[in-house]
Amino acid sequence: MKPLVHLTFTACLVLVLSLVPAAATQDPVKLVEQTSARVLDKLREDPERTRNDPEFLYALVDDIILPVVDVQGMSRLILARHWRTATPEQRERFTTAFQNMLMRTYTLQMAEHMDKDIRVLPHRSRQDDRMASVATEIVMGQGRSNIPVIYSLRPVDGEWKIFDLTVEGLSFVTNFRTNFGAEVERHGLDALIERLEAGDESLIEEAVQADVGASR
């Protein structure tokens, strides 16, 4: 996978890591503004540990990222009509396997991008009682263009949770829906789940490479 692709999605995960659970009545923009620096600072306060202690990074994911992402909702949107025909066991297996695959693929790369900053853009963000979109950009530095990222959130059990992100106009959920849907059509849902459970990172790579191709 190309370095810029890894950088973009890893930097997005860093921002996700900066969101802590909060009541759904809290403004999502303020939530991002107040907490993104906190977690980035935590990653940077001990660079040696961040680079060399995988358990430290996995603990951050377990403690902070999972509570603020609507993993089941994201999985439901990605599988689309295949979710409706899936058994409860298939739904649970897919959700767990997809979550684990993403974490394995990107978590350990966070150390490579501790120098990136996140800029929140309140004037481009939107919110109502049912949904919020928080506009941000990854500050690349060194004369490179910033990368626009929009986070889509909705209240789940009284807390704002992320269910999609859009990078340079391309939806994470839509892209995986297209690629995973094609895989299900060719080989069936069980085959897709088995590849995810086996840690077949080519599934993620194929989806992201297709994303890059679509952006050109």
Side-chain angles (χ1 to χ4, degrees), residues 4-216:
L4 179 58
V5 178
H6 270 312
L7 184 151
T8 301
F9 278 86
T10 303
C12 290
L13 285 178
V14 170
L15 177 56
V16 173
L17 281 171
S18 71
L19 302 175
V20 296
T25 53
Q26 182 171 353
D27 186 299
V29 172
K30 290 182 179 179
L31 178 63
V32 174
E33 289 176 327
Q34 293 169 357
T35 60
S36 59
R38 172 174 169 256
V39 171
L40 287 172
D41 286 345
K42 188 173 183 62
L43 291 171
R44 294 165 179 163
E45 68 184 13
D46 190 345
E48 188 71 17
R49 185 182 187 190
T50 299
R51 292 190 184 97
N52 299 305
D53 186 354
E55 295 305 317
F56 168 67
L57 296 179
Y58 285 128
L60 283 178
V61 171
D62 288 338
D63 293 342
I64 304 176
I65 189 172
L66 296 183
V68 301
V69 177
D70 183 8
V71 179
Q72 186 177 72
M74 185 180 289
S75 298
R76 184 172 61 249
L77 291 171
I78 288 171
L79 285 184
R81 62 186 180 86
H82 300 296
W83 179 273
R84 294 192 292 272
T85 59
T87 66
E89 180 187 8
Q90 287 174 318
R91 293 175 179 178
E92 182 176 356
R93 286 178 60 202
F94 174 83
T95 300
T96 300
F98 181 61
Q99 170 185 297
N100 290 341
M101 171 65 76
L102 288 178
M103 294 306 99
R104 286 196 303 270
T105 302
Y106 296 114
T107 298
L108 296 181
Q109 298 170 24
M110 288 191 296
E112 301 174 20
H113 310 297
M114 288 186 291
D115 61 328
K116 302 298 179 293
D117 288 316
I118 304 298
R119 181 177 297 154
V120 181
L121 307 173
H123 63 288
R124 297 183 186 175
S125 301
R126 301 289 183 271
Q127 177 188 352
D128 58 31
D129 292 339
R130 300 179 60 185
M131 192 172 298
S133 62
V134 178
T136 71
E137 58 185 10
I138 302 170
V139 181
M140 302 296 292
Q142 299 181 341
R144 292 174 292 178
S145 299
N146 295 340
I147 299 174
V149 180
I150 298 175
Y151 287 82
S152 299
L153 305 90
R154 61 185 174 189
V156 178
D157 297 329
E159 297 176 354
W160 284 107
K161 294 198 175 187
I162 298 166
F163 69 90
D164 194 13
L165 59 89
T166 302
V167 181
E168 295 187 307
L170 298 172
S171 162
F172 177 91
V173 163
T174 299
N175 194 64
F176 276 96
R177 179 192 299 146
T178 299
N179 286 273
F180 282 11
E183 180 72 13
V184 173
E185 292 295 334
R186 286 193 298 264
H187 304 294
L189 179 56
D190 282 332
L192 171 64
I193 294 171
E194 288 168 5
R195 286 184 66 185
L196 288 169
E197 289 176 334
D200 187 348
E201 294 184 5
S202 66
L203 277 170
I204 304 297
E205 183 170 343
E206 289 164 6
V208 175
Q209 291 292 0
D211 209 349
V212 173
S215 67
R216 291 175 177 170

